Amino acid sequence: VKDNLGRINELTGKERMKARTLKILFGHLKLNADEILTLGQENTPVNNPANKTEVQIKEESRKKQERFAKVTSAASRLTKQFKEWWKQGHYIFNFNADGEYFRIFVSDTERPAPIELESRSRGLQWFFSFFLVFLAESEDNHKNCILLLDEPGLSLHPNAQTDLIRFFNQISEKNQLIY
């Protein structure tokens, strides 16, 4: 996570888009990538990993619990926000921070087992990314701007396009949209 976020300008194509969306996700949910990484690190003694003290073990456990609480709370906030815009089902987001990796899982009433976002439908992936970027950017870099969109949501199901229009109507309260 941290490596990709730190070198986002060096990335290209799909990897750059994923890193941008993740950067916006972290910013929007007020998660700090450095903090999440640090909270998950283990301080293994160089000479012998078995020489960890009880205090070290308890501190690592406390930090991992804090990281879990932060990412779980952030995922709950995202689930609530996303539900307001995407009416194609009740989606629940879960975040998994494991070492240097951060993964987004999604479940819903049709598929209750969490599935990695990258394995979900293109429409859901597109709307998720679009939702985050526009939600964040319309409040920040694109505040009071005219947003010109070329055939947005073209690959979405017609019912999902209705959700997109609802989302546009909300954004248009603070921004001018042309599509």
Side-chain angles (χ1 to χ4, degrees), residues 21-74:
T21 300
L22 194 57
K23 181 179 181 180
I24 290 170
L25 174 71
F26 270 64
H28 179 69
L29 296 174
K30 297 176 181 32
L31 285 176
N32 181 308
D34 291 328
E35 179 185 27
I36 298 301
L37 180 63
T38 301
L39 288 172
Q41 290 177 335
E42 292 186 8
N43 298 319
T44 305
V46 178
N47 299 337
N48 187 352
N51 286 340
K52 281 188 188 180
T53 68
E54 188 174 325
V55 171
Q56 287 174 315
I57 293 170
K58 284 183 180 180
E59 179 61 14
E60 286 175 3
S61 178
R62 183 203 61 77
K63 289 181 355 182
K64 287 182 180 181
Q65 288 173 356
E66 181 181 346
R67 177 182 65 174
F68 179 79
K70 286 179 182 280
V71 298
T72 301
S73 175

Side-chain angles (χ1 to χ4, degrees), residues 138-139 142-145 169-176:
S138 68
E139 295 293 326
H142 295 129
K143 190 172 188 168
N144 298 320
C145 289
N169 288 337
Q170 182 69 27
I171 292 174
S172 70
E173 291 176 8
K174 296 180 182 177
N175 300 278
Q176 186 173 357

